[in-house]
Amino acid sequence: MKREMVLNVNGEEHDVEITPDRLLLEALREDVGLTGTKEGCSIGVCGACSVIVDGRLVSACLTLAVTCEGKKIETIEGLARDGELHPLQRSFVQYGGFQCGICTPGQIMAAKALLDHNPTPSADQVKEWMSANLCRCTGYYKILESVMAVVEGKVDEERRDEAVRQARIQSLYQSDTYKSGASD
Amino acid sequence: MKAKFEYLAPASLDEACGLLQEHQGDAKLLAGGTALVMWLRMGLLSPGFVIDLERVPGLDGIDYDPADGLRIGASVKHRDLELCPAVREHYPLLRETFYKVAQPRIRLMATVGGNLSHGDPMTDPGASFMALDAEVTLRSSRGERTLSVEDFFVDYYETALEPDEILTSVRVPPPAGPAWSHVKFTPRSEEDFATVGVAVTMTGEGNRCDDVRIALNSVGPSIFRAHAAEDVLRGRELTPARLEEAGAAAAEASDPIEDVRGSSDYKRELAAVFVRRAVEQAAARLG
Ligand SMILES: Cc1cc2nc3c(=O)[nH]c(=O)nc-3n(C[C@H](O)[C@H](O)[C@H](O)COP(=O)(O)OP(=O)(O)OC[C@H]3O[C@@H](n4cnc5c(N)ncnc54)[C@H](O)[C@@H]3O)c2cc1C
Ligand code: FES
Ligand code: FES
């Protein structure tokens, strides 16, 4: 039996009609239409589907959407404000915290959940926490560096030759998909 | 998860017990969901009703009292237990064990009650609770009963829970002494399930063991206590030969299945090695 319910995602209320077996991951991507949250393993291992529910990091692939009624759900789409990227997003861009990008929404939501609770974790605490998010591309070091740059207030510092930086960002983001803000 | 179920969210323990009794055999309790949702998803379970425990009051909270010990509500998350100051101070074995479960995200979701009730022989906390002589309290509309964690684990994914019962809390006696150890061997990756897990508590002095409890996970159809290994050590000097003997006795009691983590012979040998090492580590903490 489908039931109507409201999901509060990134401060906005979304009416959805779902069966109780609907995963939060499916509800977000298919019913709400926010495809930033990714599906990797579907069994809680990889962290690609990491979102924050009532302040707690969860795997959306192991969460039933019905259990989220009345709760605050945060996803990657809620991070940028007024066209300005969240410091974690800027940091991942500036410090090369991603390559293919499939794991990145999960990485950033995981890092956000940590920093929301503890804005000044040690590098070891970040490593331990982020161990729950797998990445097949970066070798992890740059993810650590990106998160630590936020912790240490080093985002937006001119750490590389500006021209090189611009070229890199352009080559990463010149597709139209990115400009329209949609991705999947 | 194509078989559809109805989702129920009771607001009291009595209501939850009532629903479970009403739909006996056709209902599953939902705690953190880290095991249940996956099982529903894979079609291993297809209940008509899923009863969410999240809104049931009284199942949360960790209370410590020097005389009574520790009481852990079934809905307490792994992460909250691991970070609880009283647990860190008085039950370092529990802290260590829960810290080693999966990774932080799963520990934020998974509950203590869900972990034990799942009856998965690969899970870690059961062995440590056994080594600490913990008890579980089970509640149904028929009443309440208490049994040792040792008796709670019955077989492969089978516990002593009747279909109408809810595990409400775990009680751990006051800490008997400082000597304990926990070994989780995870050769594939740090956050994997254990290839073998061993929990030990011990009392004694110097190199003499007065009493000892040894429990193992991942090397049998159920989490179990290695009584024969304990008997080798209890009231004796911990000589290298006795440690070998205890390891061999634990291996004898194990019955591991072959899987991606190794053959059953390999795991049986590991059980001997890691019981010996775990006992050594506990003994090093004797006063
Ligand atoms: C990626 C991953 C890695 C993991 N690694 C480890 C590991 O290293 N070590 C380890 O020990 N475990 C590990 N686990 C298993 C994990 O510990 C269990 O999935 C978890 O503890 C189950 O708790 P839950 O609250 O999510 O229970 P649920 O999934 O909600 O429930 C599990 C079962 O218990 C029943 N149940 C739940 N609560 C109660 C109750 N109060 N009374 C009666 N029955 C109840 C449910 O009906 C269901 O059958 C891992 C799991 C995942 C997904
Ligand atoms: S898709 Fe959810 S953890 Fe991998
Ligand atoms: S950037 Fe490709 S998997 Fe992480």
Side-chain angles (χ1 to χ4, degrees), chain A residues 21 26 44 56 59 71 132, chain B residues 1 41 54 80 105 108:
Chain A
D21 61 349
E26 298 165 332
R56 264 188 188 239
S59 282
K71 297 181 183 171
Chain B
M1 176 160 54
R41 196 74 195 167
E54 188 176 359
D80 294 329
R105 190 182 55 256
L108 283 168

Side-chain angles (χ1 to χ4, degrees), chain B residues 28-29 31-36 102 111 114-115 117 123-125 167 184 193:
Chain B
K28 285 308 275 182
L29 295 169
T34 60
L36 185 72
T111 66
N115 188 307
S117 303
T123 53
D124 307 301
L167 192 162
K184 179 177 180 179
F193 282 93

